[in-house]
Structure formats: structure tokens, C-alpha cells
């Protein structure tokens, strides 16, 4: 029996390189949720010029403070009016009315907010004087050129997941496209003679295929391109035909047909091709297979997950998602009620995080309880060696509600 960590390492060694993918350039508008393929540096300083952080008056702090050595007050003549978008012009002395984002005139070194002079929005006209009531520190309310990022600095490093702030930072640097990792293509093959496509009539003894949709969605959510096909049969010949018809992909994931029963189609078909099957000390998700098979003329890694829907999804979370998207957000929370767990297995239970920051289990440990999984927002880990967790004891929790 293999440990979870050993199988995770084996899957990583098998599939990581294939899943990493080449880089492709995409427009920023299409890059949400993609993973940066290379470090990105900014060609410009951010901000690109010294500018005002407030609507106010640009002044030379030293000049102004000299006028009123006692309390830092005194009249200053208004010498200009600078709006956002105006070109950079030299400072004419005194005080220049300046708006938020407008370039600070070279020679001025501080901004006095208009609120410190008169009512908000009431600006003195050029030629009038303003009276200030507090000393001004050099640099006050000035957003210095390069204070967010200097030209040549790394904006984001390779491997970063691109969300709104990351895309905004790339746009602020003037970029229109970005090199991201190609989405890995993952072929999902659900197998089993009892399976029926949703929408078809359900014969006695048949069940609907949940895994094709669930695993494809999991792959898509983790940034891959999912291609799903159902082989609703336990005949090795039918699975072979489906795999022979598949186009090139970076990874194949099968569900079902890997345990110790009499009609284990995946094991019977892929075992002779060199795919290894064994037991991982995991519940649910014990029976697992992995290897390399020929797809469309290319050696392609294959992962074989058990067919129970909860087992298939837990297998995805533990073995495949980390390679596609990295770790789930992990916390430790007190368990709401005590629980028993098989000591020789790493058990993964489904749970819900409560408003008082504990985690309560949803449904039992059985791997057919997919509707209970669907009401959960967390996976709860009860590692190998743990037989009992008392109420209130902390457990490792993965948040799965992205
Ligand atoms: P297997 O791994 O093929 O032995 O299947 C284990 C259990 O999962 C059996 O009860 C199957 O009927 C069920 N099962 C297998 N594949 C699917 C699927 N795609 N959707 C829903 N249930 C499945
Ligand atoms: Mg089966």
C-alpha cells in the first residue's frame, strides 16, 4: 500500500512536465485565470512622474515654512492651475492649484490639500493669495515617480495566477498582451456498463454518469481544457477504441474500473500496456492507477481514478489539482463533533465551515455521497495514524468553495 504523499510524488513525476505546457501570448482581456509563463518587467516607472495625491496646492515646502516661522502659516500667491493630463511644466513659485493625478511641477515638492485652505473644491484664482494654517512637510501628498514600481523591476513572477489586480498592474505598465502557460488538454474518460448519459431514460440497474461532468468541471476550474467522453461499457475493446480515437492531449484521466471486481475495464485494458495499479492508503480514493500510454501517436500520462463520484473528485483534489492550480487554501479548524477514522488510512471527509469557525462533517464517509459533497465547502483531512478526533480538536481543512 502506497501513502498519499508517495502517490502525489509519483503523479507529479509522471505528469508535471506534460501539464506545464509551452507559453502563448494572449491579450490581457483574455488572460483572467491564466498562469504567467515568465517574469514580467515594467518598461516604465509607476507612477511615471511625480504627481499629486490630492486636490490642493503644489508648493515648495521650504519657501512656505520660511514665511511663518512661528506656526507655519502665511499667505502664498497662486501662480498656476494644473489638471490631471496637463503636461509637466516648471513651478512658478508660490502655490499652484493642482488636481489629483496632475503632474507636480518640477521645483515644487509638496501638496497642501485644498481642505487645509478653504472648503473642498473652492480654489483660489491665479493671482489671488491663499492662507495656510499648518507647516508643510517636503513630499507631503506627493506620489513619487517609481514609488510603486521602478522601470526594469519585476511586476509579476512566472507562475503567478492572473486575477484582476495582476491584470491591472500589467495594464498600468502599458502591456497589451502577456505570455501565459498553454492550458493543458485533459481527456476525461468515464467507464462503466451501468452508466447512462444524463437526459437518456434510466434503465433498471443503471445510473447517470456524474464523473464526466464533475471531473471536466474540476479540470476547467483548475485552468485546463477538458475533453470528456463516456465509455458506457466494461468491454476492454470499447475503451481501446475510444482511446485510439482520441486526439493529442497532455493527460488522460479515467474513472471507474480500477478496483478488485470482476469487470475492471480500465485495469484490464491498460494493465497490459504498462499502467500500474495499486492501493493508496486513502479513503475514499484507495484504488489508483498511473502510467503512460500512446494517444494519437504520443506517449501520454494517464491517471486512473476509482469510479465512485466522491472518490473521483477527492482523487482529483489530492493528486491532480495541485499540478494544475497549486494547493487549496488550507486552515486548521476545530471539529464541531467527534469522529472516528480508520487508523491505517488518510481519510478525507466533506465538511462545512460554520459561522463560529468550526468545521462540521457533511454526510458519512461513504464514497457514493455526492449530493452531500455538493453541500460542502471544505475537505477535512484525518491523516493516517489518527483513529479518533475529539470535538474541538483542530483538523486540517481545505476550502473548496472558490
Ligand atoms: P468502479 O470504480 O467502476 O468499481 O465503480 C465504483 C462505483 O462508482 C460503482 O457503484 C459505480 O456504479 C460508480 N460509478 C462509476 N463510474 C461512475 C460515474 N461516472 N458516475 C457515477 N457513478 C459512477
Ligand atoms: Mg465499474
Amino acid at each position: 500500500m502506497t501513502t498519499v504523499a508517495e502517490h502525489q510524488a509519483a503523479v507529479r513525476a509522471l505528469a508535471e512536465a506534460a501539464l506545464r505546457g509551452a507559453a502563448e501570448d494572449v491579450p490581457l482581456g483574455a488572460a483572467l485565470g491564466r498562469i504567467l509563463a515568465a517574469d514580467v518587467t515594467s518598461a516604465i516607472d509607476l507612477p511615471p512622474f511625480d504627481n499629486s495625491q490630492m486636490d490642493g496646492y503644489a508648493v515648495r515646502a521650504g519657501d512656505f515654512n520660511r514665511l511663518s516661522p512661528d506656526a507655519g502659516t502665511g499667505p502664498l500667491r497662486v501662480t498656476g492651475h494644473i489638471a490631471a493630463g496637463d503636461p509637466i511644466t516648471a513651478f512658478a513659485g508660490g502655490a499652484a492649484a493642482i488636481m489629483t493625478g496632475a503632474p507636480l511641477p518640477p521645483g515644487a515638492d509638496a501638496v497642501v490639500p485644498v481642505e487645509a485652505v478653504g472648503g473642498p473644491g473652492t480654489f483660489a484664482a491665479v493671482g489671488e493669495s491663499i492662507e495656510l494654517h499648518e507647516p508643510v512637510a517636503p513630499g507631503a501628498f506627493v506620489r513619487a515617480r517609481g514609488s510603486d514600481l521602478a522601470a526594469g523591476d519585476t511586476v509579476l513572477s512566472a507562475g503567478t495566477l492572473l486575477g484582476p489586480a495582476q491584470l491591472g498592474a500589467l495594464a498600468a505598465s502599458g502591456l497589451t498582451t502577456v505570455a501565459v502557460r498553454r492550458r493543458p488538454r485533459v481527456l476525461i474518460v468515464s467507464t462503466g456498463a451501468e452508466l447512462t448519459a444524463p437526459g437518456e431514460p434510466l434503465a433498471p440497474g443503471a445510473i447517470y454518469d456524474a464523473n464526466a461532468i464533475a471531473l471536466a468541471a474540476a479540470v476547467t476550474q483548475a485552468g485546463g481544457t477538458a475533453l470528456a467522453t463516456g465509455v458506457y461499457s466494461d468491454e476492454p475493446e470499447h475503451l481501446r477504441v475510444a482511446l485510439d480515437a482520441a486526439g493529442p492531449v497532455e493527460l488522460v484521466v479515467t474513472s471507474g474500473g480500477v478496483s478488485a471486481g470482476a469487470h475492471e475495464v480500465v485495469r484490464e485494458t491498460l494493465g497490459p500496456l504498462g499502467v500500474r495499479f495499486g492501493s493508496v492508503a486513502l479513503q475514499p480514493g484507495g484504488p489508483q492507477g498511473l502510467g503512460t500510454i500512446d494517444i494519437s501517436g504520443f506517449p501520454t500520462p494517464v491517471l486512473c481514478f476509482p469510479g465512485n463520484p466522491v472518490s473521483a473528485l477527492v482523487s482529483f483534489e489530492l493528486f491532480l489539482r495541485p499540478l494544475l492550480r497549486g494547493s487549496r487554501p488550507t486552515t486548521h479548524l476545530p471539529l464541531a463533533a467527534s469522529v472516528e477514522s480508520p487508523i491505517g488510512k488518510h481519510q478525507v471527509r466533506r465538511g462545512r465551515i460554520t459561522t463560529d469557525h468550526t468545521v462540521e462533517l457533511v454526510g458519512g464517509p461513504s464514497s457514493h455521497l455526492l449530493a452531500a459533497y455538493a453541500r460542502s465547502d471544505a475537505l477535512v483531512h484525518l491523516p493516517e495514524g489518527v483513529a479518533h478526533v475529539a470535538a474541538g480538536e483542530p483538523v486540517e481543512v481545505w476550502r473548496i468553495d472558490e
Side-chain angles (χ1 to χ4, degrees):
M1 181 119 51
T2 328
T3 66
V4 167
E6 284 165 350
H7 195 67
Q8 282 171 327
V11 172
R12 186 174 285 277
L14 176 82
E16 188 174 37
L19 292 174
R20 183 163 295 268
E24 63 179 342
D25 282 330
V26 298
L28 290 194
L32 179 65
R34 304 295 296 270
I35 293 172
L36 207 56
D39 292 356
V40 177
T41 55
S42 178
I44 58 171
D45 290 319
L46 291 180
F49 50 88
D50 292 345
N51 69 90
S52 181
Q53 190 176 326
M54 301 289 277
D55 296 326
Y57 294 92
V59 298
R60 194 180 289 125
D63 281 3
F64 172 64
N65 291 336
R66 244 191 337 271
L67 289 172
S68 53
D70 48 347
T73 64
L76 278 183
R77 217 167 67 81
V78 176
T79 56
H81 184 106
I82 311 164
D86 282 355
I88 301 171
T89 48
F91 184 49
I98 189 166
M99 306 306 129
T100 304
L104 192 76
D109 63 2
V111 171
V112 179
V114 67
E115 293 88 337
V117 179
T122 57
F123 277 92
V126 172
E128 290 180 350
S129 286
I130 57 166
E131 192 86 20
L132 308 183
H133 306 294
E134 283 177 22
V136 179
F141 298 109
V142 173
R143 303 192 284 213
R145 172 178 182 162
S147 54
D148 193 18
L149 196 78
D153 280 358
T154 300
V155 189
L156 299 170
S157 3
T160 300
L161 178 62
L162 298 176
Q166 291 72 32
L167 293 171
L170 297 175
S173 304
L175 296 175
T176 56
T177 64
V178 63
V180 295
R181 287 190 199 149
R182 233 175 244 286
R183 291 185 192 280
R185 296 162 297 184
V186 180
L187 174 65
I188 310 290
V189 188
S190 55
T191 71
E194 72 280 33
L195 299 182
T196 304
E200 298 291 319
L202 199 60
I207 58 168
Y208 286 123
D209 177 4
N211 293 350
I213 283 287
L215 288 172
V219 164
T220 304
Q221 194 177 46
T225 296
L227 307 138
T229 182
V231 176
Y232 299 157
S233 160
D234 282 331
E235 289 298 325
E237 183 54 24
H238 292 155
L239 177 56
R240 229 175 271 126
V241 166
L243 293 175
D244 285 347
V249 290
E250 278 64 60
L251 178 73
V252 176
V253 173
T254 65
S255 93
V258 296
S259 35
H263 305 282
E264 304 295 1
V265 64
V266 170
R267 185 192 279 263
E268 286 167 28
T269 310
L270 302 185
L273 303 178
V275 175
R276 288 173 286 123
F277 293 90
S279 280
V280 177
L282 171 66
Q283 188 191 70
Q288 295 284 337
L290 87 178
T292 301
I293 58 174
D294 184 285
I295 297 286
S296 231
F298 299 99
T300 306
V302 56
L303 300 182
C304 307
F305 293 163
N308 268 304
V310 175
S311 313
L313 281 178
V314 166
S315 300
F316 174 85
E317 291 291 337
L318 265 68
F319 303 123
L320 182 51
R321 194 181 191 282
L323 301 188
L324 294 172
R325 209 30 144 219
S327 317
R328 288 284 196 182
T330 299
T331 54
H332 286 80
L333 292 176
L335 205 53
S338 71
V339 68
E340 312 299 318
S341 175
I343 191 157
K345 298 218 167 136
H346 180 120
Q347 196 179 46
V348 178
R349 299 284 300 263
R350 280 65 63 202
R352 205 161 30 214
I353 297 170
T354 64
T355 47
D356 55 347
H357 304 291
T358 66
V359 62
E360 63 187 14
L361 300 181
V362 180
S366 293
S367 52
H368 66 290
L369 300 173
L370 182 58
Y373 197 149
R375 292 193 302 272
S376 307
D377 59 13
L379 293 179
V380 178
H381 293 270
L382 306 172
E384 225 180 309
V386 171
H388 175 84
V389 181
E393 274 190 64
V395 286
E396 184 181 336
V397 173
W398 288 5
R399 301 206 57 133
I400 53 169
D401 55 340
E402 24 167 62

